[in-house]
Amino acid sequence: MRILSGIQPSGKLHLGNYFGMMRPALQLQERGEAYLFIANYHALTSVHDRERLKQDTWDVALDFLACGLDPVRTVFFRQSDVPEVHELAWLLSAVTPMGLLERCHSYKDKIAKGIAPSHGLFAYPVLMAADILIYQSNVVPVGRDQKQHVEVTRDLALKFNNEFGEVFTIPEPFIPDEVAVVPGLDGQKMSKSYGNTIELFGDMKETKARIMKIVTDSKGLEDPKDPSACNVFALFKLFADDARRQEMEANYRGGNYGYGHAKKALAAAFEETFAPFRARRAELQAHPDYVEEVLRKGAERARTEAAKTLDRARDAVGLSFTGRA
Ligand code: ADP
Ligand code: TRP
């Protein structure tokens, strides 16, 4: 089974990214051959600041390695180190109906947020399809907001296979139900564009202060509370095993347990999970040559695989000229 996912380097990674995409992808590395990459070509559709793009790309590399990416087992690379993906994107463009892209929510949402509607932004899902198809991926772990892009990928793969012969594996999205949408401080989807995030590697004091600001209803300390309606609980249960989750549910229902208590428990769970990752990240930061070497080797492995699919796709459409008619 080949697993593939990517993440844009367009800001500090947060708990929505971690539980929505990173943790499922990192868990799947045990079950198959995983390809994980930093989607810096995609980020260029919204980040036009050279230093920021470079820094964010580096930070994502550190974040993933710190959170448990195993660079021996998993192929980890920068998207821009595999330029073959653009040629495949062009071949796919030739079978991409305009209407399919016009229906993409993510394009409409980004324009609504004020990002300039460039061709790159519009064609974003075609490049994403090329990312997925070029490695013959079976499973794509992503948060719910990316599901439509994986569906576009499936449509394009089927259309291409149908017109030109079987070249691509048809991928499936992988979205664990319990983490489909991680809420932010205000209860909306956690997203850097809503300013409601809890960063993975932010200053710990500030992180605790942000956790204390999570919006709750105004029930008093002694009132029984409904865990299923609470943002604090929704975040806590992502960290907790069954026993701790049940214990907190019972506390909510029993009364005399305030939201402040729940927030403290959440902050402790956050610290318990991320303290070892933080230590590992500091170590990686002190060894940039190692990190660069991981990315370079990853790109080498990725390019070898990418070239195989690209050759087949070129041949299928009639772009290979090796002496044959
Ligand atoms: P942001 O919304 O902060 O810009 P991205 O769109 O860059 O985040 O998302 C990167 C990955 O993390 C995607 O796979 C996305 O689905 C996932 N993700 C982001 N936010 C959440 C969330 N709140 N809940 C679940 N998954 C999320
Ligand atoms: N569009 C994804 C996001 O914003 C990033 C991405 C680019 C991706 N190419 C991909 C995700 C291929 C999965 C597979 O999060």
Side-chain angles (χ1 to χ4, degrees), residues 185-258:
L185 301 183
D186 55 359
Q188 289 192 83
K189 179 200 148 183
M190 186 178 289
S191 170
K192 60 184 168 291
S193 35
Y194 301 146
N196 64 356
T197 62
I198 298 172
E199 288 176 11
L200 305 185
F201 297 105
D203 171 72
M204 203 48 225
K205 234 174 119 188
E206 198 191 318
T207 302
K208 282 192 180 136
R210 285 179 78 75
I211 288 174
M212 297 318 279
K213 278 194 222 143
I214 297 173
V215 173
T216 59
D217 63 28
S218 53
K219 287 206 170 78
L221 173 70
E222 60 290 341
D223 297 327
K225 302 175 179 68
D226 176 7
S228 69
C230 178
N231 296 323
V232 184
F233 182 75
L235 289 169
F236 181 81
K237 73 174 190 219
L238 295 169
F239 287 99
D241 58 20
D242 282 352
R244 285 167 85 183
R245 183 174 48 74
Q246 282 161 11
E247 187 191 337
M248 189 179 277
E249 270 172 340
N251 284 336
Y252 266 68
R253 296 218 161 84
N256 281 321
Y257 185 80

Side-chain angles (χ1 to χ4, degrees), residues 1 18 26 45 68 92 112 125 134 154 156 179 190 239 259 277 293:
M1 177 173 77
Y18 181 72
L26 293 171
T45 59
L92 294 172
I134 208 163
R154 290 168 57 89
L156 297 185
V179 293
M190 186 178 289
F239 287 99
Y259 290 121
F277 298 168
E293 182 64 6

